[in-house]
Amino acid sequence: ETSPSVVFENIEKCSPNCLRLLLENISGLTVDEDFTVEVIPEINAAVATFIKSIDTEEFVKKCLQHKRIREFKMTARVLELTQSIKAENLPDSLSPDYLTVY
């Protein structure tokens, strides 16, 4: 199974709106309808998550070949699927069953 999310790194030269337009242009899809974009400024990255089913590996290849992506020196890769989640600083009163549900 392939992740529906793609990570873009080194995005400092590309505004969030510019990135959204680029991704719409490359994918032929519409932001908010077909995919979402979460910008993570602390690590100079963004994650595009596709609601509509696409081949994310092929999309990454298209991105890496795109003139603007190369000009901005951004990188793109498929986000690894998560196998586990670590929850920290939970109150002692929290029921393990409650945690399992979430």
Side-chain angles (χ1 to χ4, degrees):
E1 184 179 348
T2 304
S3 172
S5 300
V6 176
V7 179
F8 294 88
E9 296 171 307
N10 304 319
I11 64 167
E12 74 269 0
K13 295 178 184 172
C14 185
S15 72
N17 285 338
C18 178
L19 180 62
R20 287 178 180 90
L21 289 172
L22 264 174
L23 299 183
E24 283 186 335
N25 182 273
I26 295 167
S27 69
L29 301 174
T30 305
V31 72
D32 295 329
E33 280 184 36
D34 301 318
F35 67 94
T36 60
V37 178
E38 179 185 357
V39 176
I40 310 166
E42 299 83 13
I43 60 171
N44 194 27
V47 177
T49 300
F50 291 88
I51 301 160
K52 187 173 185 174
S53 181
I54 69 161
D55 183 340
T56 50
E57 291 177 1
E58 189 61 34
F59 175 70
V60 166
K61 287 178 189 175
K62 283 183 182 179
C63 287
L64 296 175
Q65 294 170 354
H66 194 275
K67 178 183 175 183
R68 289 283 184 210
I69 298 284
R70 289 195 319 261
E71 284 176 0
F72 289 134
K73 297 183 178 167
M74 290 191 301
T75 60
R77 62 181 170 81
V78 175
L79 182 66
E80 305 84 13
L81 290 173
T82 303
Q83 300 299 319
S84 61
I85 298 172
K86 181 178 181 179
E88 298 180 311
N89 301 321
L90 300 173
D92 292 335
S93 61
L94 184 67
S95 160
D97 293 333
Y98 187 79
L99 186 59
T100 301
V101 169
Y102 286 95

